[in-house]
Amino acid sequence: MKKYLVYLSVAIGIGMSVSCTKKFEDMQHNPETLKVVPAGNFLNSILFNGVNAGLRESHRINNELMQVTVSQVSSSDWHRYIIKTTESDYPWENYYITLNNVKDMRTSAKLAGERNSEAIALTLWAWMFQQLTDIYGDIPYTDALRGYPDNQLQNRFDRQQDVYGDLIAKLDTANRLFINDSIRGLEQGEDLLFNSAAVPAGMTKWKKLCNSLRLRLLMRIAHKSDAARQELANMLADQRKYPVMMNNDESAVLKYTNVKPFQNPFFSARDYDFNTDRGIGAYFVDALNSWKDPRIPIWIQPAGDGAFRGLPSGFRPEVFDTVASVKAATLHVNLKKSNLIGTIMTYAEVEFIRAEAIHRGYAPGNAQTAYENGVRASITYWGAKVPDDFFSRAGIAYNNSLEQICTQKYFALFFNDMQQWFEYRRTGFPAIPRGDGIPAGTNMPQRMMYPIIVQTINSANYNDVIARQGADALATKVWWSK
């Protein structure tokens, strides 16, 4: 019966805890037993599973939709804006399962009075629930994660604007909870992200991640909310109260050791499954080529003839054989073992948020400086050197346009879960070309459909949410993109 409830509860987004180690299975959710499970013991499992879930969707869905790659498998239609319903199961299941551990981490931290661990749990909660709501729209939230022991399987869906409001508030709570005095780090356990258990100063980086994620949330809804715009301005104006990332060393990136089990999820994959069955998108590589961008040889493996040549996205199915015969560049095989792609959020993104906020008039400052800081941070993050004349080159030299800021942000979000897709839906940039094989009337997907089992097990609430949000279809816009 318990296994059955696990399957059902995860499938409809209310979840059931999957403990970070097997021996904790019988301790989950019971406040008395959670007293003996240190909150920090949940952390590394949450980080590893949460980052890996994002990497899967980045590689499989985001990169195809956003023309980073183009599949050379005849059965693949992602680059033609067709996403099979079964694809919806993976992010739903993976994030909700992992969020159960986040819930237990926070419960354990509160019981033990461990403020830093509770603040970290709130930060992780906001990070993953934002992923879910940006993928699907309205989601189970207030009543979520109650499948066991409550046996509550038919949970209502919260409106996206309400989910966002609560996530922003939780991050504000986390900011106030953090104790980052260089003495008190993670109270117990280990921290593979910032090593804050061994080096308490790492807790400052956690606080900066918390506030940087809050900037991301606020920017995504700033056009919908006067309050969000004001709070965004308040944060950017008060670095003492709201410290955010200020250099690449503060980026939140899970750096894989590639020693089992802490391996890049592509480490053991066949080259074919990682890069050989897909070429680099023509839009992606042509832009980089035009700028002579130093990230090219790090991100992209040239074709057999040495050319950095891309494939057209959204090509017509009847020309598949012709496209498949093109000697195209691919994702660089070294990315399979890279310790730089486990991205939660980078300093470069913070600077692009700042540049956009200034450009839109949400906050004072110099948009060009923030823009150039973002570009520079992305290039140096990947270990490349910024050419002396780079910011005078055509296409890179600042032209005071939102399109340019968003386009460079798109490149900086390379392999950062599905952030490129989210940002495109919000801004309409970059101006990626439309392939002539995309069916008439089909546009960039605005969301993913709910998993089929949600329709079956939670039908009443499912019918309610589609009546409110719109049809359970790829074309239905979520609240912040309407």
Side-chain angles (χ1 to χ4, degrees):
M1 180 64 175
K2 184 176 178 181
K3 289 183 179 179
Y4 179 67
L5 288 173
V6 172
Y7 177 67
L8 292 184
S9 58
V10 169
I12 63 174
I14 54 184
M16 186 173 161
S17 265
V18 176
S19 179
C20 50
T21 61
K22 185 72 173 176
K23 67 182 179 180
F24 294 146
E25 274 188 358
D26 296 330
M27 298 180 178
Q28 296 163 23
H29 304 290
N30 185 327
E32 292 303 313
T33 55
L34 274 174
K35 288 180 180 179
V36 302
V37 184
N41 283 11
F42 291 93
L43 179 56
N44 287 343
S45 174
I46 293 167
L47 289 169
F48 188 69
N49 292 328
V51 168
N52 284 3
L55 273 174
R56 179 198 183 277
E57 301 311 314
S58 181
H59 184 249
R60 189 171 176 85
I61 305 295
N62 177 89
N63 285 355
E64 290 286 301
L65 293 178
M66 294 307 301
Q67 301 191 20
V68 176
T69 59
V70 179
S71 177
Q72 291 179 289
V73 177
S74 60
S75 60
S76 173
D77 286 319
W78 294 306
H79 59 98
R80 299 187 192 98
Y81 302 160
I82 298 170
I83 304 177
K84 296 180 177 64
T85 306
T86 52
E87 291 295 334
S88 298
D89 296 350
Y90 298 104
W92 186 276
E93 178 177 338
N94 290 333
Y95 283 123
Y96 272 116
I97 283 177
T98 307
L99 277 161
N100 276 286
N101 275 343
V102 178
K103 178 183 178 181
D104 284 349
M105 179 181 179
R106 186 186 181 198
T107 300
S108 177
K110 290 178 73 174
L111 288 168
E114 296 175 349
R115 289 182 51 171
N116 280 336
S117 289
E118 183 183 357
I120 289 173
L122 288 170
T123 301
L124 296 169
W125 178 275
W127 165 49
M128 279 185 272
F129 263 117
Q130 187 187 23
Q131 300 285 334
L132 282 166
T133 190
D134 286 352
I135 292 171
Y136 301 100
D138 293 0
I139 54 170
Y141 180 73
T142 304
D143 292 339
L145 313 177
R146 296 179 63 183
Y148 180 82
D150 298 344
N151 297 339
Q152 184 168 318
L153 302 179
Q154 284 76 41
N155 288 324
R156 67 184 177 87
F157 288 67
D158 291 74
R159 296 174 185 270
Q160 185 178 62
Q161 54 264 54
D162 296 332
V163 175
Y164 257 79
D166 192 67
L167 296 180
I168 290 167
K170 279 184 166 52
L171 288 171
D172 191 43
T173 298
N175 178 56
R176 287 182 276 108
L177 278 171
F178 277 113
I179 304 171
N180 57 323
D181 57 8
S182 299
I183 297 173
R184 285 167 285 192
L186 181 70
E187 290 87 355
Q188 300 184 67
E190 295 181 357
D191 175 7
L192 286 169
L193 187 63
F194 293 129
N195 197 29
S196 61
V199 183
M203 199 53 62
T204 300
K205 294 181 181 180
W206 269 109
K207 186 169 185 175
K208 290 186 174 185
L209 169 59
C210 165
N211 289 312
S212 298
L213 285 171
R214 196 162 183 261
L215 286 180
R216 176 192 278 177
L217 279 145
L218 289 166
M219 178 56 79
R220 196 149 293 160
I221 66 169
H223 63 293
K224 301 286 286 187
S225 166
D226 292 340
R229 288 194 295 276
Q230 184 59 57
E231 189 58 25
L232 182 65
N234 292 345
M235 290 189 68
L236 291 173
D238 194 344
Q239 295 294 297
R240 185 179 181 85
K241 182 177 180 181
Y242 298 108
V244 297
M245 298 172 186
M246 297 299 290
N247 55 64
N248 278 333
D249 186 55
E250 295 175 341
S251 293
V253 182
L254 197 62
K255 294 190 174 180
Y256 300 100
T257 64
N258 289 327
V259 176
K260 287 185 177 181
F262 193 51
Q263 292 178 325
N264 180 319
F266 307 120
F267 185 80
S268 299
R270 298 180 303 169
D271 288 356
Y272 178 84
D273 295 324
F274 178 70
N275 68 347
T276 310
D277 66 344
R278 66 201 72 197
I280 284 292
Y283 169 81
F284 188 79
V285 72
D286 288 351
L288 293 171
N289 280 332
S290 71
W291 305 324
K292 295 182 175 58
D293 196 292
R295 292 168 291 190
I296 293 173
I298 300 169
W299 288 349
I300 303 172
Q301 189 161 305
D305 60 0
F308 289 100
R309 180 186 303 110
L311 296 176
S313 182
F315 60 82
R316 290 178 288 112
E318 57 267 30
V319 301
F320 171 78
D321 289 342
T322 300
V323 173
S325 67
V326 173
K327 292 181 179 179
T330 64
L331 291 171
H332 203 294
V333 71
N334 284 348
L335 294 171
K336 284 177 50 178
K337 59 184 179 182
S338 173
N339 67 353
L340 295 176
I341 65 172
T343 311
I344 296 174
M345 190 173 186
T346 65
Y347 161 60
E349 182 181 350
V350 172
E351 287 298 323
F352 285 119
I353 292 172
R354 192 189 309 276
E356 181 179 349
I358 297 168
H359 176 84
R360 289 185 182 273
Y362 298 164
N366 189 310
Q368 179 174 351
T369 298
Y371 160 81
E372 291 182 357
N373 285 345
V375 174
R376 186 178 294 106
S378 178
I379 291 172
T380 56
Y381 170 79
W382 288 95
K385 184 179 182 299
V386 181
D388 292 340
D389 68 339
F390 198 64
F391 289 105
S392 63
R393 294 179 184 178
I396 298 295
Y398 185 65
N399 63 13
N400 195 31
S401 72
L402 180 63
E403 179 176 1
Q404 185 183 45
I405 293 169
C406 293
T407 298
Q408 285 302 320
K409 184 177 184 181
Y410 157 86
F411 284 95
L413 291 171
F414 178 69
F415 261 111
N416 193 164
D417 51 69
M418 302 182 85
Q419 294 302 318
Q420 288 179 331
W421 180 47
F422 299 156
E423 285 292 282
Y424 179 84
R425 288 157 51 200
R426 179 178 71 89
T427 67
F429 297 123
I432 53 178
R434 180 184 174 89
D436 58 8
I438 297 173
T442 299
N443 296 310
M444 173 67 74
Q446 294 297 310
R447 59 184 290 275
M448 289 175 71
M449 297 169 65
Y450 297 118
I452 292 174
I453 200 166
V454 173
Q455 306 171 32
T456 305
I457 303 301
N458 198 18
S459 58
N461 287 300
Y462 171 78
N463 290 332
D464 177 67
V465 74
I466 62 173
R468 180 179 71 224
Q469 178 175 256
D472 188 12
L474 300 177
T476 297
K477 292 186 176 183
V478 303
W479 166 71
W480 54 249
S481 63
K482 290 180 180 177

